[in-house]
Amino acid sequence: MAAVESGKIRNVAVTGHRGTGKTSLVEAMLFQSGAVNRLGSIEQGSTVTDWDEDEQRRQMTISASLAHLEWQGRKINLIDTPGEPSFQGDMVSSIRVVEGALIVVSGVMGVEVQTSRVWARAEELGLARVFFVNMLDRERADFFRVLNGLQSALTPRAVAIHLPIGAEHELTGVVDLLHMVAYTSPEGQKEATPGEIPAEMADQVAEYREKLLDSVVETDEGLMERYLEGQELSDEEVAHALKDAMTRGEIFPVACGVATKNLGTTAVLDLMVEGVPSPAKRDFDVHIDGAGSAAFVFKTVADPFAGRINVFRVIEGKVSTDSTLVNTRSHNKERVGQLLMLQGKEHEHADEFGPGDLGAVAKLKDVLTGDLLLDTEKEAAEPPNIDFPEPVMSFAITPKAKGDEEKLGTAIRRLHEEDPTLTLRRDQQTGEQLLSGLSQMHVEVAVDRIKRRFGVEVDLRPPRVPYLETIRSESRGHGRYKKQTGGRGQFGDCQIVLEPLEAHTGYEFVDKIVGGVIPQSFRPAVDKGIQEAMHHGELAGAPVQGVRVLLVDGSYHTVDSSEMAFKIAGSMAFKDAYSKAEPVLLEPIMELDVTVPDEAVGAVNGDLNSRRGRLHGMEPASGMTTIKAEVPMSEVLTYSQTLTSITGGRGEYSMHFLRYEEVPAHVAQKVIEDTKKEREAAGSAH
């Protein structure tokens, strides 16, 4: 199959909040265009793009999936993206490689969290945007209420391009205001050919047609003059001006229908062709001088049969079977084997992909999401930045079966290739392996996949909080180690002063020995013994920091003294001084940004206060408010579930480590008691 000319390609990410019917709309477009011969159902697990077992079981999109169709002589590449915030990494990478976003909105719920998030990303990238108000046959669905919501919450330039015929369960079709025709369709059938607009809608149609024309001619001076003079404008002229205005981000058409009944699909497909610019018309903002071909990998699929599949967008030139490309990250040469055109999980072989097209390739050696592949080594080029969201929730993970540690590591590495927002790291302080993701659901889905694909069962538990210990006051300590065991003995003796350091951070060792009471060669051993003792403080076994140690006095034995003896003496001196220096527990404080619907602000603030949070301000925007707060890490280990329950799933948050602070006495006491019980339990187990 030869490459498609870039002017005849449309790349569209189908986006929106979870449960708005994105996958059903993709299915309807594939069916209406003849790319598939029947309308698949999410309930039956028969859609093209939600093919993964997890997606079918949970009935939601978890990974972005690519499909394509032909309409009016154009190739439309559709990326069905996840609407659940837990899996937004795939939405973020997909929206980076398209010219248009089709934002699907529920006719009942209107603008939701992910609607706003997708809108903001698309705005940042300057994409053409079309809204599709779906599910208008549901109870309480209201197209005009949703239209007003879009205009007030997102943009006043959202303009109705379709109107529903009827409402709720009496919905029978849609009117296309651009071409002034009506579409109706029997459920599950191809949409009927354009027909007459119902006479009883004449006034409403005239009103909204005028609003559409007013919006379009405002963006084109020539048309504006003719329109004001009362001249008739042809559909072609209006469509052309609309496309230009969409490309410039001056108009955002609002279409409508019912995806599961294939209603409104024809008009949306027409909009994709007429309103979304082709790759030839839009700059991808990554210029590679001197490279004939360039491809950007925006997704990786770990296919159980074909192995790793890299999904890419051709930025410049062509990518052909049997060509060789260089990875700008690793500088490795990669031979392109079989190219694939993806239709959900189905693969069709392709010979080449031209500029602007989306394709896939299997079995490259070392290519990851975010890599840029060039056909030359001459020019170093920066790959486009995807800007994945940071993980906010971590769990300590251990394999159930001993000896499965390596298999678990491999499994998570493979999953991270597919989803870079999923990470595994070892906490240096607690020694735990931490699996981090965007939510509890995100991590649970990963655990399901680890079991199903790699045969490794795991245990998850909240991670230990990495507490630290420090001191408040100065103290003196004495350590004397003396051991006689026949023959040569062991002797080390030292005295130290402990002082607190500012901000409870760091460690300093100051040698104040005068007159050689401890020989120079043994003093580093005292320092080493003290640092080892600091690994486990006496309060909760946490590392000690924020301490200056002055080595002030001591004595030695010419025969029995050794480095080992002074190391032990140093450790003893530290423990002696530490207990008298008012030791306190420190806890990590996190900076939290929580975005919630305005009506949930009071409840969320109250909850944060109950978690010892300190509020630092609120920023309202379009019906949502971002709350900024500082909260101890121990209080937000399972925050995700609480926020979901308070906001009905409409809240989201991000957090990062800020600093350590002293733990209040009553909280510290409980941590110390819990640690003591754990130690006793561990001791009795041994």
Side-chain angles (χ1 to χ4, degrees), residues 4-258:
V4 179
E5 180 190 317
S6 64
K8 293 187 173 176
I9 294 171
R10 302 290 183 273
N11 294 318
V12 179
V14 184
T15 61
H17 198 79
R18 175 186 173 183
T20 53
K22 297 178 295 300
T23 299
S24 299
L25 181 57
V26 170
E27 194 68 20
M29 290 192 280
L30 292 171
F31 174 65
Q32 184 64 28
S33 68
V36 298
N37 54 22
R38 67 187 184 86
L39 203 53
S41 147
I42 286 172
E43 286 73 21
Q44 292 165 12
S46 57
T47 60
V48 170
T49 52
D50 275 7
W51 52 269
D52 184 85
E53 204 177 304
D54 290 312
E55 295 177 319
Q56 292 175 358
R57 195 169 69 251
R58 293 173 186 262
Q59 300 216 336
M60 64 190 235
T61 303
I62 288 172
S63 302
S65 188
L66 199 58
H68 61 275
L69 57 87
E70 278 199 29
W71 191 255
Q72 293 182 14
R74 306 292 189 277
K75 178 187 181 186
I76 302 180
N77 288 315
L78 297 169
I79 310 178
D80 182 11
T81 69
E84 161 60 48
S86 305
F87 308 104
Q88 63 175 299
D90 262 18
M91 178 278 287
V92 169
S93 59
S94 299
I95 211 167
R96 188 69 185 81
V97 295
V98 295
E99 282 72 39
L102 177 52
I103 304 174
V104 187
V105 184
S106 158
V108 180
M109 300 302 294
V111 176
E112 297 176 83
V113 173
Q114 192 73 349
T115 326
S116 307
R117 188 186 288 130
V118 166
W119 173 264
R121 283 271 175 179
E123 179 88 355
E124 231 172 76
L125 295 165
L127 302 185
R129 276 149 277 172
V130 175
F131 294 104
F132 183 80
V133 182
N134 195 14
M135 302 173 166
L136 286 174
D137 58 341
R138 302 267 177 101
E139 196 178 324
R140 295 186 303 109
D142 183 339
F143 173 76
F144 298 98
R145 175 172 48 78
V146 175
L147 176 63
N148 289 335
L150 293 169
Q151 290 168 340
S152 59
L154 300 181
T155 172
R157 299 194 300 276
V159 181
I161 200 156
H162 300 159
L163 293 181
I165 303 171
E168 297 184 357
H169 60 278
E170 290 174 0
L171 186 87
T172 57
V174 298
V175 173
D176 179 345
L177 296 170
L178 184 60
H179 303 100
M180 288 302 280
V181 293
Y183 289 98
T184 54
S185 65
E187 194 167 339
Q189 303 296 308
K190 288 280 169 77
E191 215 166 41
T193 49
E196 291 290 313
I197 294 169
E200 66 274 14
M201 288 184 69
D203 290 349
Q204 190 185 42
V205 168
E207 179 195 342
Y208 279 89
R209 164 82 174 178
E210 193 175 328
K211 286 181 179 177
L212 173 63
L213 289 177
D214 285 349
S215 299
V216 172
V217 298
E218 267 177 25
T219 67
D220 185 309
E221 278 184 29
L223 282 188
M224 170 78 92
E225 279 177 30
R226 291 174 50 210
Y227 182 60
L228 292 176
E229 287 166 8
Q231 289 184 34
E232 196 67 37
L233 303 177
S234 72
D235 288 351
E236 288 74 25
E237 287 176 309
V238 176
H240 184 73
L242 176 68
K243 179 173 185 171
D244 287 348
M246 283 178 68
T247 304
R248 294 192 302 267
E250 292 173 7
I251 288 184
F252 305 101
V254 183
C256 68
V258 181

Side-chain angles (χ1 to χ4, degrees), residues 156-370:
R157 299 194 300 276
V159 181
I161 200 156
H162 300 159
L163 293 181
I165 303 171
E168 297 184 357
H169 60 278
E170 290 174 0
L171 186 87
T172 57
V174 298
V175 173
D176 179 345
L177 296 170
L178 184 60
H179 303 100
M180 288 302 280
V181 293
Y183 289 98
T184 54
S185 65
E187 194 167 339
Q189 303 296 308
K190 288 280 169 77
E191 215 166 41
T193 49
E196 291 290 313
I197 294 169
E200 66 274 14
M201 288 184 69
D203 290 349
Q204 190 185 42
V205 168
E207 179 195 342
Y208 279 89
R209 164 82 174 178
E210 193 175 328
K211 286 181 179 177
L212 173 63
L213 289 177
D214 285 349
S215 299
V216 172
V217 298
E218 267 177 25
T219 67
D220 185 309
E221 278 184 29
L223 282 188
M224 170 78 92
E225 279 177 30
R226 291 174 50 210
Y227 182 60
L228 292 176
E229 287 166 8
Q231 289 184 34
E232 196 67 37
L233 303 177
S234 72
D235 288 351
E236 288 74 25
E237 287 176 309
V238 176
H240 184 73
L242 176 68
K243 179 173 185 171
D244 287 348
M246 283 178 68
T247 304
R248 294 192 302 267
E250 292 173 7
I251 288 184
F252 305 101
V254 183
C256 68
V258 181
T260 52
K261 294 180 177 171
N262 191 30
L263 186 57
T265 318
T266 301
V268 167
L269 284 165
D270 288 346
L271 259 181
M272 296 299 97
V273 170
E274 292 168 354
V276 174
S278 74
K281 291 271 178 70
R282 205 159 170 279
D283 189 3
F284 190 63
D285 76 23
V286 177
H287 294 288
I288 298 104
D289 297 325
S293 298
F296 173 60
V297 176
F298 67 94
K299 178 163 176 62
T300 303
V301 183
D303 187 278
F305 307 108
R308 190 167 58 195
I309 294 174
N310 297 113
V311 191
F312 60 84
R313 172 180 166 130
V314 183
I315 299 175
E316 288 183 14
K318 289 181 180 178
V319 173
S320 314
T321 300
D322 294 334
S323 57
T324 298
L325 297 173
V326 177
N327 186 337
T328 59
R329 172 182 56 85
S330 64
H331 305 293
N332 289 342
K333 288 187 174 177
E334 296 277 358
R335 188 172 167 280
V336 176
Q338 185 59 64
L339 291 172
L340 307 168
M341 191 148 62
L342 302 184
Q343 192 73 298
K345 70 173 173 183
E346 303 299 325
H347 308 152
E348 198 181 308
H349 292 312
D351 299 321
E352 60 180 7
F353 289 100
D357 210 348
L358 306 182
V361 58
K363 297 179 180 168
L364 296 182
K365 292 196 297 286
D366 174 31
V367 175
L368 303 171
T369 299

Side-chain angles (χ1 to χ4, degrees), residues 394 397 423-428 432-436 633:
S394 300
I397 185 169
T423 62
L424 182 72
R425 66 181 174 85
R426 179 177 288 284
D427 187 303
Q428 293 301 321
E432 292 176 319
Q433 289 272 32
L434 299 182
L435 180 60
S436 305
M633 182 197 273

